[in-house]
């Protein structure tokens, strides 16, 4: 770790420089394994690497650029690289399942990153100022497990490598951050990882801008990512890369494993675009390493050049051979997603001159990598000392940063949330949400977020802050543009950067269809993103069925580790935010109305914490004649229906079921107090699919909802035509009497 003075120097010594253009890009022939067979079409596709933009990127002055020096003993590098390859080969072979090709091809770049470039502490995988690494091509996870094993992480021991892809192991079939310390984000669905990396890099840029001082850089780390052709094909990667270029994330360095092989064969069959030109157009600095198999110095030089460019992210295209070293399967789809087989493993050992038994790490390799444990401890110790000095000089900023690093919220933060009475003016819950967002931003240091080009409709702007942009990264309003999928995945990266970073993102509820993949990864990877989803039902009116969600509530209620809130008024909206902020390992979705709703008697922030609770009841002995259950805008309808029935002498309990998942967490005694098993007369009402409501109302209960698509018309007429009315609830209730 550089000293405080040298860190400050690296920030201030910036200069313009001309980046040399790529030379000829004629493909090189590699002695072993055989070079990729070329065709006229593939030659055209991979003809000349394009020239960089005439606009010169901002680079660090030579005095501040980190110098990458090759390891003195080249044989150790070769042996280390082959160790990575064969740990992957052996693990996949033992499991009879996995993807050996990528680790075999990417081992050189990965070795240089983990052994020569990255700053980390193997004994504390969560040290704040560590460099982050993301394997976006998550199927090649044995590459990452091998690196963590060699680097000395306790999470991946030899027995863990031998139990690759087995029940209860720390080495699952794709990287999982919640299983294996040292894994930053969960990857597997292609393209998610590079988008997560954009979020990680955004977090670093934001925190550095907020907390670094001219005499103290306490936030200073890089985000590295390896992605493949599959990631490049997925649209989410382009969405995220576009934003990374726009935001000028200069500490994001992506290695593109340019091996031209996917599951179906050569990518020539479906992927012929010029990736270099596309990324240059997106605002990235692009470098081409032509020999990714053995060109260690080329890789080192590319990283050095990438680090010199500070005003834009860098894509290093590294041309590799998938399955490098396998005499009969290299450069073919057969090495992508299946074990080599006993005979081919032996042939590969002979071809690469590897005499060691399976899972053997040669002593000299083990000794070479062992230095990372003391070096990593030293890096963290130096940083701790720097932060201690920073804390003395800048106590207020240090307290905020500590909150973000630890996830410990300021005392009394929840008191900032607004509260409402029945006399308070009615409003759309999207507007009430905006009041909560702005209240939270004032008291929660790590609270930031934005919308997919709908901020003025989602009501998500933080009024006390400006926009996070290339020149103003300290601000907290994130402008994602019309990129829902990329937005969700970027927020996952932000959430997983530091426990106290609490990102929110917003769009219309129906457009969660565009980002469901990222939302599922939020739940799986325990990323506590807050999804602010407005226009939650047919209540949005004239925009019609393309914009009216119907099945969405049910689908998210079915998603594990997800809190699906549908608040009915201001108190419930505030209650949803109180829970969402505290649930750092569970994403929360708030479905919010476009139409104005009243502040209902009986609702409360405390009630929301139970998920389902009684807002009114004229019965005694826990034996109402009927229980009416509603959510969101339909809770008002249930309350009005109850008044009609009570005037007719019935005892009626009205229950808000604002969050099913929280209700499921309550004790049996509490559940019985709300939904007594002896009362089968139950009616639910929700302007959405009735799927799943049988769990709440029981076999004899009735559910009022919408089991078709909506329509284009004013909201009041739609509610009448679809039978989401007080009369419908009253009639359903009377059917029990």
């Amino acid at each position: 770790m550089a000293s405080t003075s040298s860190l400050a120097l690296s920030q201030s010594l910036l200069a313009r420089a001309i980046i040399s253009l790529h030379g000829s890009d004629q493909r090189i022939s590699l002695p072993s394994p055989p070079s990729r067979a070329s065709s006229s079409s593939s030659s055209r596709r991979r003809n000349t690497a394009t020239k960089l933009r005439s606009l010169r990127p901002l680079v660090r002055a030579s005095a501040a650029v980190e110098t990458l020096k090759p390891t003195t003993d080249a044989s150790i590098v070769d042996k280390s690289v082959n160790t990575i390859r064969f740990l992957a080969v052996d693990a996949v072979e033992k499991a009879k399942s996995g993807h050996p090709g990528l680790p075999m091809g990417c081992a050189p770049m990965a070795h240089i990153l983990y052994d020569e470039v990255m700053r980390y502490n193997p004994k504390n995988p969560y040290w704040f100022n560590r460099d982050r690494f993301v394997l976006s091509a998550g199927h090649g996870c044995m590459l990452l497990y091998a690196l963590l094993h060699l680097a000395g992480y306790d999470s991946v021991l030899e027995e863990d490598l031998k139990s690759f892809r087995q029940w209860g192991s720390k080495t699952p079939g794709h990287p999982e951050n919640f299983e294996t310390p040292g894994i930053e984000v969960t990857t597997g669905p292609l393209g998610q990882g590079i988008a997560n990396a954009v979020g990680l890099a955004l977090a670093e840029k934001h925190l550095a801008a907020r907390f670094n001082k001219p005499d103290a850089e306490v936030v200073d780390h890089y985000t590295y990512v390896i992605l493949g052709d599959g990631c490049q094909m997925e649209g989410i990667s382009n969405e995220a890369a576009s934003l990374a270029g726009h935001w000028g994330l200069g500490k994001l360095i992506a290695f593109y494993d340019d091996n031209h092989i996917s599951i179906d064969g050569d990518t020539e069959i479906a992927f012929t675009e010029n990736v270099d030109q596309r990324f240059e157009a997106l605002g990235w600095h692009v470098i081409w390493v032509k020999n990714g198999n053995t060109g260690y110095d080329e890789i080192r030089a590319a990283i050095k050049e990438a680090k010199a460019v500070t005003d834009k992210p860098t894509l290093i295209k590294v041309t590799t051979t998938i399955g490098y070293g396998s005499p009969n399967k290299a450069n073919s789809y057969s090495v992508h997603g299946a074990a080599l087989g006993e005979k081919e493993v032996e042939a590969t050992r002979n071809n690469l001159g590897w005499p060691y038994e399976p899972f053997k790490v040669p002593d000299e390799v083990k000794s070479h990598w062992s230095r990372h444990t003391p070096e990593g401890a030293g890096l963290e110790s130096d940083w701790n000392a720097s932060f201690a000095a920073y804390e003395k000089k800048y106590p207020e900023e240090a307290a905020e940063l500590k909150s973000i690093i630890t996830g410990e919220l300021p005392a009394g933060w929840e008191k900032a949330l607004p509260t409402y009475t029945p006399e308070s003016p009615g409003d759309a819950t999207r507007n009430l949400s905006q009041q909560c967002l702005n209240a939270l931003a004032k008291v929660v240091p790590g609270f930031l977020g934005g919308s997919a080009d709908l901020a003025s409709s989602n009501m998500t702007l933080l009024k006390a802050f400006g926009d996070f942009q290339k020149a103003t990264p300290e601000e907290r309003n994130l402008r994602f543009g019309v990129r829902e999928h990329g937005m969700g995945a970027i927020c996952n990266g932000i959430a997983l950067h530091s426990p106290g970073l609490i990102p929110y993102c917003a769009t219309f509820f129906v457009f969660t269809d565009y980002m469901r993949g990222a939302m599922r990864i939020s739940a799986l990877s325990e990323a506590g993103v807050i999804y602010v989803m407005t226009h939650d039902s047919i209540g949005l009116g004239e925009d019609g069925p393309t914009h009216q969600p119907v099945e969405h509530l049910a689908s998210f209620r079915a998603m594990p580790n997800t809190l699906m809130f549908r608040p009915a008024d201001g108190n419930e909206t505030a209650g949803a935010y109180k829970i969402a902020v505290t649930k750092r390992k569970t994403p929360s979705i708030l479905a919010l109305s476009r139409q104005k709703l009243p502040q209902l008697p009986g609702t409360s922030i405390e009630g929301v914490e139970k998920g389902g609770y009684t807002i009114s009841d004229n019965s005694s002995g826990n034996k109402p004649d009927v229980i009416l259950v509603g959510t969101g805008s339909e809770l008002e309808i249930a309350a009005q229906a109850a008044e009609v029935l009570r005037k007719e002498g019935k005892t009626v309990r009205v229950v808000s079921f604002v969050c099913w998942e929280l209700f499921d967490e309550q004790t049996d005694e509490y559940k019985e107090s709300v939904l007594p098993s002896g009362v089968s007369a139950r009616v639910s009402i929700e302007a959405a699919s009735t799927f799943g409501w049988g769990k709440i109302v029981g076999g004899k209960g009735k559910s009022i909802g919408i089991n078709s698509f909506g329509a284009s018309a004013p909201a009041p007429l739609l509610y009448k035509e679809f039978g989401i009315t007080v009369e419908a609830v009253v009639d359903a209730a009377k059917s029990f009497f």
Side-chain angles (χ1 to χ4, degrees), residues 315-437:
L315 180 77
I316 303 176
K317 182 175 78 169
V318 186
T319 298
T320 66
T321 300
I322 191 171
Y324 181 90
S326 172
N328 302 300
K329 293 189 175 183
N331 188 36
S332 72
Y333 68 89
S334 61
V335 79
H336 169 83
L340 294 179
E342 186 177 341
K343 290 184 178 179
E344 189 64 14
V345 169
E346 186 63 27
T348 303
R349 274 182 153 78
N350 292 334
N351 189 40
L352 291 177
W354 194 252
Y356 303 99
E357 63 187 26
F359 299 101
K360 174 67 176 177
V361 177
D363 290 342
E364 56 269 44
V365 173
K366 191 178 297 184
S367 175
H368 173 76
W369 279 80
S370 67
R371 76 188 194 283
H372 288 291
T373 294
E375 286 182 0
L379 289 170
E380 182 171 359
S381 178
D382 288 347
W383 184 84
N384 287 338
S386 296
F387 186 78
Y390 177 90
E391 190 172 19
K392 288 181 179 179
K393 196 166 186 179
Y394 307 104
E396 291 184 9
E397 292 91 334
E400 282 202 355
L401 182 54
K402 264 189 175 180
S403 172
I404 291 170
I405 292 172
T406 64
E408 183 176 345
L409 294 168
W413 67 272
E414 71 280 1
K415 295 176 182 177
L417 288 166
T419 56
Y420 305 85
T421 68
E423 291 71 41
S424 300
D427 208 342
T429 52
R430 62 170 176 165
N431 293 333
L432 299 167
S433 164
Q434 186 178 41
Q435 295 174 22
C436 292
L437 289 172

Side-chain angles (χ1 to χ4, degrees), residues 75-190:
S75 66
I76 287 293
V77 179
D78 285 331
K79 191 165 283 189
S80 179
V81 168
N82 280 332
T83 299
I84 296 168
R85 288 181 174 131
F86 281 100
L87 287 176
V89 166
D90 294 338
V92 172
E93 192 64 29
K94 187 175 188 298
K96 304 300 179 188
S97 172
H99 300 75
L102 182 145
M104 296 170 76
C106 290
M109 68 177 97
H111 161 81
I112 289 170
L113 269 179
Y114 264 81
D115 189 49
E116 301 179 17
V117 177
M118 287 176 56
R119 299 178 301 174
Y120 54 89
N121 181 2
K123 301 308 178 186
N124 181 10
Y126 305 108
W127 169 44
F128 168 73
N129 206 41
R130 69 191 181 277
D131 289 333
R132 271 71 168 174
F133 174 78
V134 175
L135 183 62
S136 188
H139 54 273
C141 56
M142 265 312 305
L143 173 73
L144 189 44
Y145 299 146
L147 292 165
L148 295 177
H149 178 64
L150 291 177
Y153 284 77
D154 295 330
S155 54
V156 185
L157 305 176
E158 183 177 334
E159 53 264 35
D160 297 306
L161 298 176
K162 290 179 177 178
S163 60
F164 177 54
R165 287 186 162 224
Q166 304 307 301
W167 176 264
S169 78
K170 294 295 183 183
T171 50
H174 289 83
E176 297 173 358
N177 64 297
F178 53 92
E179 285 285 0
T180 315
I183 304 293
E184 299 290 350
V185 298
T186 295
T187 59
L190 295 175

Side-chain angles (χ1 to χ4, degrees), residues 10-19 56-62 64 308-311:
S10 70
Q11 185 180 46
S12 60
L13 290 178
L14 300 175
R16 292 277 180 181
I18 301 174
I19 302 301
R56 300 170 182 175
L58 188 66
V59 303
R60 295 180 191 265
S62 58
V309 177
T310 61
D311 66 337

Side-chain angles (χ1 to χ4, degrees), residues 221-357:
H221 50 266
Y222 283 84
T223 301
Y224 300 96
V225 58
I226 291 178
L227 69 159
D229 287 304
C231 295
Q232 294 282 20
M233 292 185 227
E234 288 285 0
I236 185 175
S237 66
N238 195 72
E239 291 183 18
S242 175
L243 283 166
H246 170 74
W247 286 327
L249 301 181
K251 287 188 175 177
L252 173 62
I253 300 176
F255 294 80
Y256 165 32
D257 178 25
D258 175 43
N259 65 40
H260 305 296
I261 296 292
S262 62
I263 293 176
D264 280 354
D266 194 297
T267 55
E268 196 63 36
I269 63 176
F271 187 56
T272 55
E273 68 191 46
N274 189 313
V275 174
D276 301 51
Q277 286 185 341
R278 175 160 63 88
F279 270 75
E280 287 169 8
L282 292 174
W284 288 56
H285 180 59
V286 179
I287 306 167
W288 183 28
V289 172
K290 301 174 187 177
N291 178 8
N293 297 327
T294 59
Y296 305 138
D297 285 341
E298 287 186 62
I299 296 169
R300 293 184 181 107
I303 296 170
K304 181 178 179 180
E305 180 181 334
K307 283 194 163 190
V309 177
T310 61
D311 66 337
K312 57 179 64 179
T314 294
L315 180 77
I316 303 176
K317 182 175 78 169
V318 186
T319 298
T320 66
T321 300
I322 191 171
Y324 181 90
S326 172
N328 302 300
K329 293 189 175 183
N331 188 36
S332 72
Y333 68 89
S334 61
V335 79
H336 169 83
L340 294 179
E342 186 177 341
K343 290 184 178 179
E344 189 64 14
V345 169
E346 186 63 27
T348 303
R349 274 182 153 78
N350 292 334
N351 189 40
L352 291 177
W354 194 252
Y356 303 99
E357 63 187 26

